[in-house]
Amino acid sequence: MNYVIRLKNCAFFARHGVHDEEERMGQRFYVDAELAVEVEDAVELDRIEGTVDYGAAFRVIEEIVTGQRRYLIEALACDIARTLCERFAPVTQAVITVRKPNAPVNGVLDHVEVTIAWPQ
């Protein structure tokens, strides 16, 4: 059986960005994760074993976003996608969107966002 798990608008405070001020001050980042999942009989048996615990997936995302500083949100999204695929065997693809509302842009905008799929 194939299905999709979506974690929408996960919010974290972190210090990513190219500029020193972004590291010093930090800001909120928002992550959406779309996980393509392929399982044998976990759904029919109504058991968490053999599928993806989305609480555990959230913790993996949190660990990455609040961990090591990255200059690019592209690199952050790629690290999240790759790690989710590695840690959860039933995940066949992870599509990750990272939003940065306070991007250092000389203009008015809601946010900058990047979406990366792994594997492509």
Side-chain angles (χ1 to χ4, degrees), residues 9-93:
N9 218 31
C10 306
F12 308 100
F13 184 84
R15 300 175 185 280
H16 305 292
V18 173
H19 303 289
D20 292 338
E21 298 82 35
E22 293 178 290
E23 181 181 26
R24 186 172 43 79
M25 295 178 64
Q27 64 177 292
R28 284 211 186 277
F29 290 83
Y30 298 90
V31 177
D32 296 339
E34 182 173 301
L35 309 177
V37 178
E38 186 175 317
V39 298
E40 297 289 322
D41 58 0
V43 173
E44 288 85 10
L45 296 174
D46 194 24
R47 296 173 50 134
I48 188 81
E49 297 80 23
T51 186
V52 177
D53 176 342
Y54 44 82
F58 180 90
R59 288 188 297 276
V60 168
I61 296 166
E62 179 178 39
E63 174 185 301
I64 294 167
V65 175
T66 61
Q68 171 189 343
R69 175 188 182 191
R70 284 144 183 104
Y71 294 112
L72 304 176
I73 60 174
E74 295 90 326
L76 180 61
C78 189
D79 287 348
I80 294 167
R82 185 180 309 125
T83 302
L84 288 169
C85 288
E86 290 170 356
R87 293 214 189 153
F88 300 98
V91 174
T92 59
Q93 185 182 51

